[in-house]
Amino acid sequence: MDRSRPTAIPRAIVVVLERDLVDKAKSGDSVTVTGVVTCRWRPVVAGERPDIAVVIRANSISVLSDQASQIAITEELREEFRAFWAARAGTPMRGRDEIVASMCPQVYGLFYIKLAVLLVLISGVARSDESGLRVRGEAHMLLVGDPGTAKSQFLKYAAKLVPRSVLTTGIGSTSAGLTVTAVKDGPEWQLEAGALVLADRGLCCIDEFGNIREAEKSTILEAMEQQSISVAKAGIVCKLNARCSVLAAMNPKGKYDVHSSLAVNTALSTPLLSRFDLVLVLLDTHDEQWDAHVSSFLLGSRDGEEAGQGSDGEQDVWEFDQLQAYLAFVKTAFQPETTPASEQVLTRYYQLQRQRDTLNAARTTIRLLESLIRLAQAHARLMFRNKVLLADAVIAVVLMESTMLSASILGAIDTLHTTFPEDSDLFYAELESLVLRRLDMAHLGGGSQVV
């Protein structure tokens, strides 16, 4: 099936696999086929004219599961990335914010949202032991917000950034459309991959997530945690890979009530909510000053500044191709390992949430700790390093705080009305001091942000 042009209807051609090529690929795999184009008669049906079909007899087939293979990362690009971070060795957070500002630059502000989306695209490191138990490294995020808060813009931009991505909407998605469906082709049955399988090793964006029927939401539970889809249809029993990140967006049910739990406001079940690493809430509170800034930005009457990225303006924004190559490079080049300081912070925060959280019971399972580790690893990759330092753990805690709302140790964080700090490193130093004080771990502070 040809999916090279996103705006065109996918076209398909039959490929005949023989001998050792049989079962070389599964449904949903991206493959390169070398073969001979030939013709063959279609099955004869009584009362119809015989017809000839064009098929390919394959000589070789190679599976392209890794998205990095779809982006050419040259040595020149690698040197450019190394030089970028070498020049910002003393101000690493400022360098990070230049990369974050390049994420969806047409949207004003929303600093935490852009940072969170980037971390989901990068994701953490998958772990597997000798017994075959696998802990996923892919992160999932749910955006819950009022209409007009740029949720769909982020989904579309993220889908463009990741080479292997699928963008779908909840209204038109069925359980077969999201997972896998059985189709009868002549006398035999065959499987056709759905959105989650097609996005293997990539990203699956689901807009209007709240409009998916309840029976269909349950079908993606296995895909989000076990990263696979078990199929038992039409006599076909198999397991397909769905190792993808899920980025979903939805509107709250009615007006969002900050005093109620996420499960009540979103009408999503506890098992489904607990699988999302981040659930960011965007509330339109009608801030007059914020509305004036957004209006000026949209009308083009900003004084040389781009999307509230501070005082440096447009020259700090990376090109789209450069950002795409950087994300693909750090995902493959770095496998960050945690340090004792970062482990202490993440463990302490997890213990605090288990003790005090009453409204968000759906979020405070053991998956909360795994999510914190994944976010910290993703931030270490974004910062171009192989170790998870204290700074990465603090940023993971701050992002997780924005999902806790009333149960937060830092107080309510308004993720919608956040702009880029003018002095990123000073802003981070204050943030680290505050987080460590609230966690009673002030002795860990100081000098952790140096790359």
Side-chain angles (χ1 to χ4, degrees):
M1 182 177 289
D2 177 21
R3 301 175 65 247
S4 57
R5 293 184 298 164
T7 56
I9 297 175
R11 296 173 297 171
I13 187 171
V14 175
V15 178
V16 181
L17 304 180
E18 298 173 334
R19 298 184 180 86
D20 59 326
L21 296 181
V22 176
D23 290 336
K24 203 76 177 287
K26 294 182 180 179
S27 296
D29 283 342
S30 180
V31 297
T32 300
V33 176
T34 304
V36 180
V37 179
T38 184
C39 297
R40 71 173 183 182
W41 290 101
R42 292 186 188 274
V44 179
V45 180
E48 294 186 7
R49 293 180 59 187
D51 196 6
I52 293 177
V54 177
V55 299
I56 298 177
R57 290 189 62 181
N59 293 330
S60 71
I61 180 170
S62 57
V63 181
L64 307 173
S65 294
D66 192 0
Q67 61 168 312
S69 62
Q70 302 177 32
I71 299 179
I73 303 174
T74 61
E75 188 60 35
E76 182 183 351
L77 270 176
R78 294 189 182 95
E79 287 300 324
E80 187 178 335
F81 297 148
R82 294 188 187 102
F84 173 84
W85 284 107
R88 289 157 182 79
T91 55
M93 292 299 167
R94 184 176 181 81
R96 181 206 64 182
D97 286 354
E98 288 184 32
I99 301 173
V100 176
S102 310
M103 175 69 199
C104 211
Q106 70 269 22
V107 176
Y108 177 82
L110 274 68
F111 170 60
Y112 283 134
I113 307 296
K114 293 181 178 182
L115 176 59
V117 173
L118 269 184
L119 296 189
V120 169
L121 297 185
I122 295 173
S123 293
V125 181
R127 305 192 311 275
S128 55
D129 57 15
E130 296 176 356
S131 64
L133 177 66
R134 182 180 184 274
V135 178
R136 64 180 169 92
E138 290 78 9
H140 306 311
M141 186 169 78
L142 175 65
L143 294 173
V144 182
D146 296 325
T149 50
K151 300 186 299 295
S152 298
Q153 291 288 337
F154 282 112
L155 263 61
K156 290 178 181 176
Y157 198 86
K160 286 198 299 181
L161 268 179
V162 180
R164 190 165 187 181
S165 61
V166 176
L167 178 62
T168 182
T169 57
I171 299 175
S173 299
T174 62
S175 59
L178 285 173
T179 55
V180 66
T181 182
V183 179
K184 193 168 187 178
D185 182 17
E188 298 181 353
W189 288 83
Q190 65 181 25
L191 297 178
E192 284 195 2
L196 290 166
V197 180
L198 287 173
D200 183 37
R201 296 286 191 186
L203 176 72
C204 182
C205 299
I206 307 175
D207 206 355
E208 306 295 343
F209 192 72
N211 292 333
I212 301 178
R213 290 187 289 272
E214 195 62 38
E216 275 126 25
K217 288 176 186 172
S218 61
T219 61
I220 66 174
L221 293 179
E222 181 193 1
M224 290 183 68
E225 191 60 39
Q226 276 71 45
Q227 302 281 278
S228 62
I229 293 175
S230 301
V231 182
K233 296 183 178 182
I236 302 173
V237 180
C238 65
K239 183 176 285 189
L240 301 177
N241 290 322
R243 297 161 294 185
C244 63
S245 295
V246 175
L247 184 58
M250 64 177 291
N251 296 324
K253 296 298 180 183
K255 185 171 177 59
Y256 195 95
D257 183 7
V258 294
H259 301 294
S260 299
S261 67
L262 274 171
V264 172
N265 281 297
T266 59
L268 297 178
S269 62
T270 298
L272 188 55
L273 268 180
S274 69
R275 281 166 165 78
F276 284 104
D277 297 80
L278 286 173
V279 183
L280 297 183
V281 180
L282 307 174
L283 299 180
D284 190 0
T285 53
H286 307 289
D287 187 310
E288 185 176 346
Q289 185 179 5
W290 177 261
D291 292 344
H293 285 309
V294 174
S295 301
S296 299
F297 176 80
L298 291 177
L299 294 172
S301 58
R302 57 198 187 282
D303 299 327
E305 295 195 6
E306 178 73 19
Q309 280 118 25
S311 57
D312 288 336
E314 297 183 359
Q315 66 268 22
D316 289 339
V317 179
W318 284 22
E319 294 292 333
F320 176 84
D321 293 339
Q322 186 182 11
L323 179 62
Q324 188 180 48
Y326 182 79
L327 296 183
F329 175 63
V330 296
K331 281 196 73 169
T332 56
F334 298 103
Q335 307 294 321
E337 297 179 355
T338 55
T339 56
S342 63
E343 290 174 356
Q344 291 177 41
V345 170
L346 298 180
T347 305
R348 175 65 177 158
Y349 178 73
Y350 170 68
Q351 291 171 342
L352 275 180
Q353 290 300 329
R354 291 283 288 180
Q355 293 167 8
R356 68 188 297 170
D357 191 15
T358 55
L359 289 178
N360 290 309
R363 299 283 300 143
T364 51
T365 63
I366 189 63
R367 288 180 178 143
L368 174 64
L369 181 58
E370 293 178 351
S371 299
L372 288 167
I373 295 171
R374 274 190 289 269
L375 292 173
Q377 289 174 337
H379 192 265
R381 281 175 161 175
L382 179 62
M383 299 293 288
F384 211 72
R385 58 181 175 229
N386 254 326
K387 285 189 177 180
V388 179
L389 303 183
L390 178 62
D392 306 313
V394 169
I395 295 297
V397 168
V398 171
L399 287 177
M400 194 61 69
E401 278 292 278
S402 57
T403 73
M404 294 300 175
L405 297 178
S406 57
S408 169
I409 64 171
L410 297 180
I413 298 176
D414 188 356
T415 53
L416 179 63
H417 300 148
T418 52
T419 57
F420 283 73
E422 292 190 7
D423 189 337
S424 304
D425 293 275
L426 178 62
F427 175 76
Y428 167 75
E430 296 171 351
L431 201 59
E432 179 189 280
S433 175
L434 176 61
V435 169
L436 293 180
R437 274 204 319 272
R438 295 293 171 86
L439 294 176
D440 296 327
M441 304 181 76
H443 61 282
L444 292 176
S448 64
Q449 60 180 336
V450 178
V451 176

